[in-house]
PDB file of all heavy atoms in Angstrom:
ATOM      1  N   ALA A 714      41.612 -58.809 -96.472  1.00 91.00           N
ATOM      2  CA  ALA A 714      41.779 -57.286 -96.527  1.00 91.00           C
ATOM      3  C   ALA A 714      43.080 -56.911 -97.205  1.00 91.00           C
ATOM      4  O   ALA A 714      43.575 -55.797 -96.945  1.00 91.00           O
ATOM      5  CB  ALA A 714      41.670 -56.661 -95.107  1.00 91.00           C
ATOM      6  N   GLY A 715      43.560 -57.699 -98.133  1.00 81.00           N
ATOM      7  CA  GLY A 715      44.857 -57.398 -98.778  1.00 81.00           C
ATOM      8  C   GLY A 715      44.687 -56.891-100.180  1.00 81.00           C
ATOM      9  O   GLY A 715      45.807 -56.666-100.847  1.00 81.00           O
ATOM     10  N   GLY A 716      43.462 -56.563-100.598  1.00 77.00           N
ATOM     11  CA  GLY A 716      43.320 -56.154-101.921  1.00 77.00           C
ATOM     12  C   GLY A 716      43.744 -54.690-102.313  1.00 77.00           C
ATOM     13  O   GLY A 716      43.751 -53.802-101.452  1.00 77.00           O
ATOM     14  N   ARG A 717      44.346 -54.639-103.487  1.00 76.00           N
ATOM     15  CA  ARG A 717      44.877 -53.258-103.887  1.00 76.00           C
ATOM     16  C   ARG A 717      43.823 -52.288-104.250  1.00 76.00           C
ATOM     17  O   ARG A 717      43.842 -51.156-103.923  1.00 76.00           O
ATOM     18  CB  ARG A 717      45.863 -53.551-105.069  1.00 76.00           C
ATOM     19  CG  ARG A 717      46.402 -52.256-105.547  1.00 76.00           C
ATOM     20  CD  ARG A 717      47.549 -52.366-106.494  1.00 76.00           C
ATOM     21  NE  ARG A 717      48.149 -51.206-106.915  1.00 76.00           N
ATOM     22  CZ  ARG A 717      49.240 -51.105-107.606  1.00 76.00           C
ATOM     23  NH1 ARG A 717      49.925 -52.241-107.985  1.00 76.00           N
ATOM     24  NH2 ARG A 717      49.787 -50.000-107.984  1.00 76.00           N
ATOM     25  N   GLY A 718      42.797 -52.732-104.879  1.00 72.00           N
ATOM     26  CA  GLY A 718      41.673 -51.826-105.317  1.00 72.00           C
ATOM     27  C   GLY A 718      42.190 -50.914-106.377  1.00 72.00           C
ATOM     28  O   GLY A 718      41.912 -49.748-106.237  1.00 72.00           O
ATOM     29  N   SER A 719      42.775 -51.396-107.460  1.00 82.00           N
ATOM     30  CA  SER A 719      43.355 -50.559-108.402  1.00 82.00           C
ATOM     31  C   SER A 719      42.373 -49.815-109.222  1.00 82.00           C
ATOM     32  O   SER A 719      42.661 -48.723-109.815  1.00 82.00           O
ATOM     33  CB  SER A 719      44.111 -51.430-109.484  1.00 82.00           C
ATOM     34  OG  SER A 719      43.377 -52.386-110.045  1.00 82.00           O
ATOM     35  N   ARG A 720      41.041 -50.187-109.245  1.00 81.00           N
ATOM     36  CA  ARG A 720      40.081 -49.426-109.894  1.00 81.00           C
ATOM     37  C   ARG A 720      39.683 -48.088-109.254  1.00 81.00           C
ATOM     38  O   ARG A 720      39.022 -47.270-109.795  1.00 81.00           O
ATOM     39  CB  ARG A 720      38.798 -50.231-110.156  1.00 81.00           C
ATOM     40  CG  ARG A 720      38.974 -51.465-111.086  1.00 81.00           C
ATOM     41  CD  ARG A 720      37.705 -52.292-111.276  1.00 81.00           C
ATOM     42  NE  ARG A 720      37.212 -52.715-109.852  1.00 81.00           N
ATOM     43  CZ  ARG A 720      35.853 -53.072-109.708  1.00 81.00           C
ATOM     44  NH1 ARG A 720      35.045 -52.901-110.624  1.00 81.00           N
ATOM     45  NH2 ARG A 720      35.631 -53.507-108.508  1.00 81.00           N
ATOM     46  N   LEU A 721      40.213 -47.913-108.042  1.00 86.00           N
ATOM     47  CA  LEU A 721      39.906 -46.746-107.340  1.00 86.00           C
ATOM     48  C   LEU A 721      41.124 -45.750-107.575  1.00 86.00           C
ATOM     49  O   LEU A 721      41.248 -44.720-106.938  1.00 86.00           O
ATOM     50  CB  LEU A 721      39.853 -46.903-105.706  1.00 86.00           C
ATOM     51  CG  LEU A 721      38.505 -47.405-105.314  1.00 86.00           C
ATOM     52  CD1 LEU A 721      38.674 -47.963-103.846  1.00 86.00           C
ATOM     53  CD2 LEU A 721      37.412 -46.467-105.455  1.00 86.00           C
ATOM     54  N   HIS A 722      42.030 -46.240-108.501  1.00 89.00           N
ATOM     55  CA  HIS A 722      43.120 -45.222-108.970  1.00 89.00           C
ATOM     56  C   HIS A 722      43.968 -44.713-107.859  1.00 89.00           C
ATOM     57  O   HIS A 722      44.231 -45.386-106.953  1.00 89.00           O
ATOM     58  CB  HIS A 722      42.533 -44.185-109.830  1.00 89.00           C
ATOM     59  CG  HIS A 722      41.812 -44.852-111.081  1.00 89.00           C
ATOM     60  ND1 HIS A 722      42.526 -45.064-112.233  1.00 89.00           N
ATOM     61  CD2 HIS A 722      40.521 -45.061-111.424  1.00 89.00           C
ATOM     62  CE1 HIS A 722      41.603 -45.559-113.143  1.00 89.00           C
ATOM     63  NE2 HIS A 722      40.504 -45.619-112.676  1.00 89.00           N
ATOM     64  N   ASN A 723      44.189 -43.472-107.817  1.00 90.00           N
ATOM     65  CA  ASN A 723      45.073 -42.815-106.814  1.00 90.00           C
ATOM     66  C   ASN A 723      44.441 -42.882-105.423  1.00 90.00           C
ATOM     67  O   ASN A 723      45.385 -42.648-104.554  1.00 90.00           O
ATOM     68  CB  ASN A 723      45.351 -41.461-107.327  1.00 90.00           C
ATOM     69  CG  ASN A 723      45.890 -41.276-108.699  1.00 90.00           C
ATOM     70  OD1 ASN A 723      45.059 -41.347-109.519  1.00 90.00           O
ATOM     71  ND2 ASN A 723      47.196 -41.264-108.887  1.00 90.00           N
ATOM     72  N   LEU A 724      43.310 -43.196-105.278  1.00 91.00           N
ATOM     73  CA  LEU A 724      42.762 -43.237-103.788  1.00 91.00           C
ATOM     74  C   LEU A 724      43.463 -44.356-103.052  1.00 91.00           C
ATOM     75  O   LEU A 724      43.384 -44.373-101.835  1.00 91.00           O
ATOM     76  CB  LEU A 724      41.227 -43.425-103.882  1.00 91.00           C
ATOM     77  CG  LEU A 724      40.460 -42.918-102.738  1.00 91.00           C
ATOM     78  CD1 LEU A 724      40.697 -41.471-102.408  1.00 91.00           C
ATOM     79  CD2 LEU A 724      38.994 -43.145-102.917  1.00 91.00           C
ATOM     80  N   THR A 725      43.963 -45.431-103.783  1.00 90.00           N
ATOM     81  CA  THR A 725      44.524 -46.527-103.089  1.00 90.00           C
ATOM     82  C   THR A 725      46.087 -46.483-103.237  1.00 90.00           C
ATOM     83  O   THR A 725      46.715 -47.525-103.136  1.00 90.00           O
ATOM     84  CB  THR A 725      43.951 -47.741-103.483  1.00 90.00           C
ATOM     85  OG1 THR A 725      44.025 -47.929-104.936  1.00 90.00           O
ATOM     86  CG2 THR A 725      42.559 -48.002-103.080  1.00 90.00           C
ATOM     87  N   ASP A 726      46.723 -45.368-103.547  1.00 90.00           N
ATOM     88  CA  ASP A 726      48.123 -45.190-103.639  1.00 90.00           C
ATOM     89  C   ASP A 726      48.864 -45.571-102.398  1.00 90.00           C
ATOM     90  O   ASP A 726      49.979 -45.999-102.467  1.00 90.00           O
ATOM     91  CB  ASP A 726      48.498 -43.829-104.285  1.00 90.00           C
ATOM     92  CG  ASP A 726      48.403 -43.791-105.800  1.00 90.00           C
ATOM     93  OD1 ASP A 726      48.128 -44.911-106.367  1.00 90.00           O
ATOM     94  OD2 ASP A 726      48.543 -42.680-106.332  1.00 90.00           O
ATOM     95  N   SER A 727      48.241 -45.067-101.342  1.00 87.00           N
ATOM     96  CA  SER A 727      48.899 -45.286 -99.996  1.00 87.00           C
ATOM     97  C   SER A 727      48.159 -46.069 -98.999  1.00 87.00           C
ATOM     98  O   SER A 727      48.502 -46.126 -97.807  1.00 87.00           O
ATOM     99  CB  SER A 727      49.165 -43.843 -99.375  1.00 87.00           C
ATOM    100  OG  SER A 727      47.915 -43.195 -99.193  1.00 87.00           O
ATOM    101  N   ARG A 728      47.061 -46.781 -99.469  1.00 91.00           N
ATOM    102  CA  ARG A 728      46.265 -47.510 -98.541  1.00 91.00           C
ATOM    103  C   ARG A 728      45.599 -48.691 -99.251  1.00 91.00           C
ATOM    104  O   ARG A 728      45.372 -48.685-100.486  1.00 91.00           O
ATOM    105  CB  ARG A 728      45.243 -46.723 -97.855  1.00 91.00           C
ATOM    106  CG  ARG A 728      44.272 -46.049 -98.712  1.00 91.00           C
ATOM    107  CD  ARG A 728      43.232 -45.111 -98.048  1.00 91.00           C
ATOM    108  NE  ARG A 728      43.737 -43.990 -97.578  1.00 91.00           N
ATOM    109  CZ  ARG A 728      43.719 -42.808 -98.288  1.00 91.00           C
ATOM    110  NH1 ARG A 728      43.197 -42.755 -99.445  1.00 91.00           N
ATOM    111  NH2 ARG A 728      44.227 -41.720 -97.713  1.00 91.00           N
ATOM    112  N   ALA A 729      45.341 -49.862 -98.618  1.00 90.00           N
ATOM    113  CA  ALA A 729      44.532 -50.926 -99.142  1.00 90.00           C
ATOM    114  C   ALA A 729      43.060 -50.463 -99.338  1.00 90.00           C
ATOM    115  O   ALA A 729      42.653 -49.693 -98.558  1.00 90.00           O
ATOM    116  CB  ALA A 729      44.773 -52.190 -98.340  1.00 90.00           C
ATOM    117  N   LYS A 730      42.396 -51.116-100.329  1.00 91.00           N
ATOM    118  CA  LYS A 730      40.973 -50.803-100.517  1.00 91.00           C
ATOM    119  C   LYS A 730      40.248 -50.951 -99.160  1.00 91.00           C
ATOM    120  O   LYS A 730      39.293 -50.043 -98.890  1.00 91.00           O
ATOM    121  CB  LYS A 730      40.380 -51.565-101.570  1.00 91.00           C
ATOM    122  CG  LYS A 730      38.950 -51.245-101.880  1.00 91.00           C
ATOM    123  CD  LYS A 730      38.460 -52.189-103.079  1.00 91.00           C
ATOM    124  CE  LYS A 730      36.923 -52.034-103.224  1.00 91.00           C
ATOM    125  NZ  LYS A 730      36.390 -53.022-104.138  1.00 91.00           N
ATOM    126  N   PRO A 731      40.297 -51.895 -98.388  1.00 93.00           N
ATOM    127  CA  PRO A 731      39.524 -51.954 -97.132  1.00 93.00           C
ATOM    128  C   PRO A 731      39.673 -50.783 -96.140  1.00 93.00           C
ATOM    129  O   PRO A 731      38.865 -50.496 -95.303  1.00 93.00           O
ATOM    130  CB  PRO A 731      39.892 -53.475 -96.467  1.00 93.00           C
ATOM    131  CG  PRO A 731      40.348 -54.099 -97.631  1.00 93.00           C
ATOM    132  CD  PRO A 731      41.107 -53.131 -98.551  1.00 93.00           C
ATOM    133  N   ALA A 732      40.936 -50.133 -96.279  1.00 94.00           N
ATOM    134  CA  ALA A 732      41.163 -48.957 -95.430  1.00 94.00           C
ATOM    135  C   ALA A 732      40.758 -47.689 -96.010  1.00 94.00           C
ATOM    136  O   ALA A 732      40.835 -46.670 -95.338  1.00 94.00           O
ATOM    137  CB  ALA A 732      42.657 -48.854 -95.189  1.00 94.00           C
ATOM    138  N   VAL A 733      40.093 -47.613 -97.107  1.00 95.00           N
ATOM    139  CA  VAL A 733      39.579 -46.319 -97.792  1.00 95.00           C
ATOM    140  C   VAL A 733      38.425 -45.859 -96.863  1.00 95.00           C
ATOM    141  O   VAL A 733      37.693 -46.544 -96.287  1.00 95.00           O
ATOM    142  CB  VAL A 733      39.023 -46.667 -99.184  1.00 95.00           C
ATOM    143  CG1 VAL A 733      38.237 -45.409 -99.629  1.00 95.00           C
ATOM    144  CG2 VAL A 733      40.294 -47.029-100.104  1.00 95.00           C
ATOM    145  N   TYR A 734      38.345 -44.480 -96.676  1.00 96.00           N
ATOM    146  CA  TYR A 734      37.418 -43.905 -95.919  1.00 96.00           C
ATOM    147  C   TYR A 734      36.010 -44.031 -96.533  1.00 96.00           C
ATOM    148  O   TYR A 734      35.841 -44.106 -97.705  1.00 96.00           O
ATOM    149  CB  TYR A 734      37.742 -42.392 -95.747  1.00 96.00           C
ATOM    150  CG  TYR A 734      39.004 -42.177 -95.025  1.00 96.00           C
ATOM    151  CD1 TYR A 734      40.236 -41.961 -95.604  1.00 96.00           C
ATOM    152  CD2 TYR A 734      38.919 -42.032 -93.693  1.00 96.00           C
ATOM    153  CE1 TYR A 734      41.468 -41.683 -94.944  1.00 96.00           C
ATOM    154  CE2 TYR A 734      40.262 -41.824 -92.914  1.00 96.00           C
ATOM    155  CZ  TYR A 734      41.357 -41.608 -93.567  1.00 96.00           C
ATOM    156  OH  TYR A 734      42.507 -41.413 -92.825  1.00 96.00           O
ATOM    157  N   PHE A 735      35.042 -44.007 -95.663  1.00 97.00           N
ATOM    158  CA  PHE A 735      33.609 -44.151 -96.212  1.00 97.00           C
ATOM    159  C   PHE A 735      32.616 -43.455 -95.170  1.00 97.00           C
ATOM    160  O   PHE A 735      32.795 -43.746 -94.009  1.00 97.00           O
ATOM    161  CB  PHE A 735      33.267 -45.541 -96.502  1.00 97.00           C
ATOM    162  CG  PHE A 735      31.744 -45.783 -97.067  1.00 97.00           C
ATOM    163  CD1 PHE A 735      31.618 -45.538 -98.425  1.00 97.00           C
ATOM    164  CD2 PHE A 735      30.717 -45.950 -96.346  1.00 97.00           C
ATOM    165  CE1 PHE A 735      30.347 -45.668 -99.045  1.00 97.00           C
ATOM    166  CE2 PHE A 735      29.472 -46.040 -96.813  1.00 97.00           C
ATOM    167  CZ  PHE A 735      29.320 -45.867 -98.223  1.00 97.00           C
ATOM    168  N   GLY A 736      31.592 -42.735 -95.741  1.00 96.00           N
ATOM    169  CA  GLY A 736      30.522 -42.344 -94.864  1.00 96.00           C
ATOM    170  C   GLY A 736      30.794 -41.365 -93.915  1.00 96.00           C
ATOM    171  O   GLY A 736      30.000 -41.190 -92.912  1.00 96.00           O
ATOM    172  N   GLY A 737      31.755 -40.529 -94.086  1.00 96.00           N
ATOM    173  CA  GLY A 737      32.009 -39.379 -93.112  1.00 96.00           C
ATOM    174  C   GLY A 737      32.839 -39.770 -91.945  1.00 96.00           C
ATOM    175  O   GLY A 737      33.527 -38.738 -91.308  1.00 96.00           O
ATOM    176  N   LYS A 738      33.068 -41.026 -91.555  1.00 95.00           N
ATOM    177  CA  LYS A 738      33.837 -41.321 -90.350  1.00 95.00           C
ATOM    178  C   LYS A 738      34.377 -42.790 -90.391  1.00 95.00           C
ATOM    179  O   LYS A 738      35.276 -43.070 -89.603  1.00 95.00           O
ATOM    180  CB  LYS A 738      33.004 -40.997 -89.018  1.00 95.00           C
ATOM    181  CG  LYS A 738      31.846 -41.914 -88.880  1.00 95.00           C
ATOM    182  CD  LYS A 738      31.068 -41.540 -87.663  1.00 95.00           C
ATOM    183  CE  LYS A 738      31.850 -41.915 -86.325  1.00 95.00           C
ATOM    184  NZ  LYS A 738      30.948 -41.596 -85.122  1.00 95.00           N
ATOM    185  N   PHE A 739      33.898 -43.596 -91.249  1.00 97.00           N
ATOM    186  CA  PHE A 739      34.305 -44.992 -91.211  1.00 97.00           C
ATOM    187  C   PHE A 739      35.422 -45.286 -92.128  1.00 97.00           C
ATOM    188  O   PHE A 739      35.769 -44.555 -93.020  1.00 97.00           O
ATOM    189  CB  PHE A 739      33.042 -45.790 -91.409  1.00 97.00           C
ATOM    190  CG  PHE A 739      31.749 -45.423 -90.683  1.00 97.00           C
ATOM    191  CD1 PHE A 739      30.854 -44.696 -91.139  1.00 97.00           C
ATOM    192  CD2 PHE A 739      31.771 -45.914 -89.433  1.00 97.00           C
ATOM    193  CE1 PHE A 739      29.688 -44.445 -90.412  1.00 97.00           C
ATOM    194  CE2 PHE A 739      30.612 -45.514 -88.539  1.00 97.00           C
ATOM    195  CZ  PHE A 739      29.613 -44.835 -89.076  1.00 97.00           C
ATOM    196  N   ARG A 740      35.854 -46.504 -92.022  1.00 96.00           N
ATOM    197  CA  ARG A 740      36.731 -47.177 -93.127  1.00 96.00           C
ATOM    198  C   ARG A 740      35.803 -48.346 -93.712  1.00 96.00           C
ATOM    199  O   ARG A 740      35.024 -48.897 -93.005  1.00 96.00           O
ATOM    200  CB  ARG A 740      37.898 -47.736 -92.587  1.00 96.00           C
ATOM    201  CG  ARG A 740      38.797 -46.790 -91.904  1.00 96.00           C
ATOM    202  CD  ARG A 740      39.484 -45.795 -92.741  1.00 96.00           C
ATOM    203  NE  ARG A 740      40.412 -44.897 -92.043  1.00 96.00           N
ATOM    204  CZ  ARG A 740      41.796 -44.989 -92.203  1.00 96.00           C
ATOM    205  NH1 ARG A 740      42.285 -45.775 -93.001  1.00 96.00           N
ATOM    206  NH2 ARG A 740      42.557 -44.160 -91.520  1.00 96.00           N
ATOM    207  N   ILE A 741      35.930 -48.699 -94.895  1.00 96.00           N
ATOM    208  CA  ILE A 741      35.198 -49.840 -95.563  1.00 96.00           C
ATOM    209  C   ILE A 741      35.252 -51.071 -94.730  1.00 96.00           C
ATOM    210  O   ILE A 741      34.131 -51.698 -94.534  1.00 96.00           O
ATOM    211  CB  ILE A 741      35.600 -50.079 -96.992  1.00 96.00           C
ATOM    212  CG1 ILE A 741      35.427 -48.861 -97.845  1.00 96.00           C
ATOM    213  CG2 ILE A 741      34.917 -51.223 -97.564  1.00 96.00           C
ATOM    214  CD1 ILE A 741      35.898 -48.950 -99.266  1.00 96.00           C
ATOM    215  N   ILE A 742      36.399 -51.486 -94.247  1.00 96.00           N
ATOM    216  CA  ILE A 742      36.406 -52.692 -93.476  1.00 96.00           C
ATOM    217  C   ILE A 742      35.515 -52.703 -92.189  1.00 96.00           C
ATOM    218  O   ILE A 742      35.156 -53.720 -91.686  1.00 96.00           O
ATOM    219  CB  ILE A 742      37.825 -53.059 -93.062  1.00 96.00           C
ATOM    220  CG1 ILE A 742      38.031 -54.540 -92.666  1.00 96.00           C
ATOM    221  CG2 ILE A 742      38.420 -52.101 -91.882  1.00 96.00           C
ATOM    222  CD1 ILE A 742      39.432 -55.008 -92.415  1.00 96.00           C
ATOM    223  N   ASP A 743      35.187 -51.494 -91.587  1.00 97.00           N
ATOM    224  CA  ASP A 743      34.400 -51.466 -90.441  1.00 97.00           C
ATOM    225  C   ASP A 743      33.062 -52.160 -90.587  1.00 97.00           C
ATOM    226  O   ASP A 743      32.445 -52.688 -89.628  1.00 97.00           O
ATOM    227  CB  ASP A 743      34.145 -49.993 -90.072  1.00 97.00           C
ATOM    228  CG  ASP A 743      35.395 -49.274 -89.530  1.00 97.00           C
ATOM    229  OD1 ASP A 743      36.202 -49.963 -88.961  1.00 97.00           O
ATOM    230  OD2 ASP A 743      35.599 -48.116 -89.755  1.00 97.00           O
ATOM    231  N   PHE A 744      32.556 -52.323 -91.816  1.00 97.00           N
ATOM    232  CA  PHE A 744      31.222 -52.826 -92.031  1.00 97.00           C
ATOM    233  C   PHE A 744      31.363 -54.411 -91.890  1.00 97.00           C
ATOM    234  O   PHE A 744      30.401 -54.960 -91.113  1.00 97.00           O
ATOM    235  CB  PHE A 744      30.690 -52.488 -93.400  1.00 97.00           C
ATOM    236  CG  PHE A 744      30.259 -50.978 -93.616  1.00 97.00           C
ATOM    237  CD1 PHE A 744      31.294 -50.093 -93.727  1.00 97.00           C
ATOM    238  CD2 PHE A 744      28.921 -50.685 -93.211  1.00 97.00           C
ATOM    239  CE1 PHE A 744      30.782 -48.771 -93.785  1.00 97.00           C
ATOM    240  CE2 PHE A 744      28.577 -49.225 -93.299  1.00 97.00           C
ATOM    241  CZ  PHE A 744      29.549 -48.390 -93.495  1.00 97.00           C
TER     242      PHE A 744
END
């Protein structure tokens, strides 16, 4: 869960890609 996720551009400026919000209430890593 250490990936930067640079292709998500500014959405990962302050968070790692697994911590990005998804689906109304989750984080990606929750899956």
Side-chain angles (χ1 to χ4, degrees):
R717 178 170 184 168
S719 57
R720 293 180 300 155
L721 284 170
H722 296 276
N723 306 80
L724 204 56
T725 51
D726 277 352
S727 61
R728 60 180 74 93
K730 182 182 173 186
V733 170
Y734 295 93
F735 182 83
K738 63 185 293 184
F739 309 102
R740 305 288 186 114
I741 293 175
I742 196 173
D743 290 329
F744 288 85

